[in-house]
Amino acid sequence: MANQFQTGIVAEASVDACFLTLSIKAGNEPAVKSILASLPQVITEFTARYSDVNPHAVVAIGSEVWDRLYDTKPALLQAFPTLETPGVMPNTPVDLLLHIRSDRRDITHLLEEALYKPLSEYVDVVEEIFCFRFLESRDMTGFVDGTENPQGEDRLSVALVGDEDAEFVGGSYLHLQRYVHNMKKWSTQSLKEKEDTYGRTQDDNIEYASADKPLTAHTKRASIKNAQGQSLELLRQSLPYGGVKESGLMFASYCRTPDNFNLILKSMVDGDGHGHTDRMLQFTRAVTGQAFFAPSPQWLKTNG
């Protein structure tokens, strides 16, 4: 299985993470392309050295810079989705993402340095967001995050491109958004109102029965099925971030197709056609929105 996919895509949740987004300086595409080809080996050597704290990293290329770097393209790669409801989910494209994580902040930092250093002359930093596990894998709102994630081997089948796109087997479509929570407004709700907003209990993380779930509940709007009645799944690798002035969630999802994310986002924002949109969006707002593809390590090496 070596080199068939970037292990950071499907690895179990980490305690610490950094999302580093970059823009390529004009004219530096050839140099960046060559460096990207070398990064999988850097990651492999680093993860072997610090294996006791589970370091991982994903190198992903933005949808809107892809054609400037490579001659061939993943079959379904597209820009961050445009929705019927304007202004709610901004499209803020960047060129590159380094998604770096481990179970220790210092090790995450060292891996970030190792990956960024060779690129530093040729790129500008757009955002550098440090994240952490909060309590029992909860969002800053107090609710457990990632409850619906696939488990075991299902993580691979949900997140990784298969034979449907032979050149890009093992790659993954990645969507990244930074949400800023209005914690002052959130705190004015009663516990029951908060639980109704999510559609599950806070303390013991029990999802409401379908009949009891408000049509505006986050678990209702973000859990949808396709025409064949199958649930649209994502592998979420999200973590909270923030401090006393601002806090929120770095939402990161991996999937073998961008369609699942696009349809879930549409359900949340545009609703069900009867005015039922995701009530959670009254308490948080997206300030970034980006679409990427994370190729297999072997593909990066071969196309450098």
Side-chain angles (χ1 to χ4, degrees):
M1 295 292 286
N3 296 327
Q4 289 189 9
F5 58 87
Q6 298 190 55
T7 59
I9 296 170
V10 297
E12 295 294 334
S14 302
V15 170
D16 183 85
C18 174
F19 292 89
L20 182 64
T21 52
L22 307 167
S23 63
I24 301 172
K25 296 177 182 178
N28 285 289
E29 287 82 1
V32 167
K33 183 177 174 181
S34 176
I35 294 166
L36 293 179
S38 71
L39 294 187
Q41 185 61 34
V42 174
I43 296 169
T44 297
E45 293 173 359
F46 192 96
T47 55
R49 181 177 180 185
Y50 295 100
S51 60
D52 58 320
V53 293
N54 300 312
H56 292 281
V58 175
V59 178
I61 296 96
S63 59
E64 298 187 26
V65 76
W66 187 279
D67 291 338
R68 286 166 40 202
L69 292 172
Y70 302 110
D71 296 329
T72 59
K73 188 174 183 177
L76 301 179
L77 186 60
Q78 56 193 259
F80 193 84
T82 300
L83 302 171
E84 294 175 12
T85 307
V88 179
M89 296 291 169
N91 175 16
T92 59
V94 296
D95 295 341
L96 303 173
L97 167 67
L98 300 177
H99 177 196
I100 304 150
R101 55 198 183 95
S102 76
D103 291 335
R104 271 177 42 184
R105 172 91 279 273
D106 56 338
I107 300 304
T108 305
H109 170 73
L110 289 174
L111 181 50
E112 179 191 15
E113 280 193 329
L115 297 176
Y116 174 68
K117 185 176 180 180
L119 288 166
S120 59
E121 181 181 345
Y122 308 105
V123 301
D124 291 314
V125 173
V126 180
E127 277 199 326
E128 183 183 30
I129 306 296
F130 302 105
C131 301
F132 51 88
R133 181 182 293 173
F134 181 61
L135 300 177
E136 306 90 356
S137 298
R138 295 177 184 268
D139 179 61
M140 300 295 275
T141 57
F143 285 75
V144 175
D145 189 39
T147 301
E148 298 298 319
N149 257 352
Q151 302 298 317
E153 290 297 310
D154 288 344
R155 296 168 76 85
L156 280 68
S157 61
V158 168
L160 301 175
V161 172
D163 293 338
E164 69 272 14
D165 190 0
E167 183 177 353
F168 292 96
V169 168
S172 189
Y173 295 92
L174 164 61
H175 290 89
L176 181 67
Q177 294 176 283
R178 182 163 72 86
Y179 283 87
V180 178
H181 296 342
N182 186 335
M183 295 303 296
K184 183 176 181 180
K185 184 178 179 181
W186 178 253
S187 68
T188 64
Q189 290 199 108
S190 68
L191 176 60
K192 181 62 165 61
E193 288 172 325
K194 292 176 180 177
E195 292 180 336
D196 286 350
T197 297
Y198 268 96
R200 63 174 181 259
T201 60
Q202 177 173 298
D203 290 344
D204 46 11
N205 191 35
I206 297 174
E207 189 165 344
Y208 285 14
S210 181
D212 299 330
K213 192 178 293 185
L215 294 176
T216 58
H218 177 66
T219 53
K220 180 71 174 181
R221 300 267 45 93
S223 300
I224 59 176
K225 300 181 185 297
N226 61 19
Q228 291 74 43
Q230 300 167 321
S231 295
L232 299 182
E233 293 190 275
L234 301 171
L235 179 54
R236 296 166 174 84
Q237 297 285 12
S238 308
L239 274 180
Y241 73 93
V244 295
K245 289 186 176 181
E246 179 180 281
S247 62
L249 180 75
M250 288 300 289
F251 177 86
S253 71
Y254 292 90
C255 194
R256 69 189 302 160
T257 168
D259 295 345
N260 291 9
F261 173 83
N262 294 348
L263 290 169
I264 290 170
L265 201 68
K266 179 177 176 61
S267 174
M268 291 170 57
V269 176
D270 295 337
D272 60 0
H274 302 284
H276 301 119
T277 59
D278 191 337
R279 189 167 186 269
M280 190 62 209
L281 296 179
Q282 296 179 23
F283 305 96
T284 189
R285 62 187 176 91
V287 295
T288 65
Q290 293 132 9
F292 304 90
F293 188 79
S296 71
Q298 187 58 50
W299 193 94
L300 282 171
K301 294 175 185 177
T302 302
N303 290 273

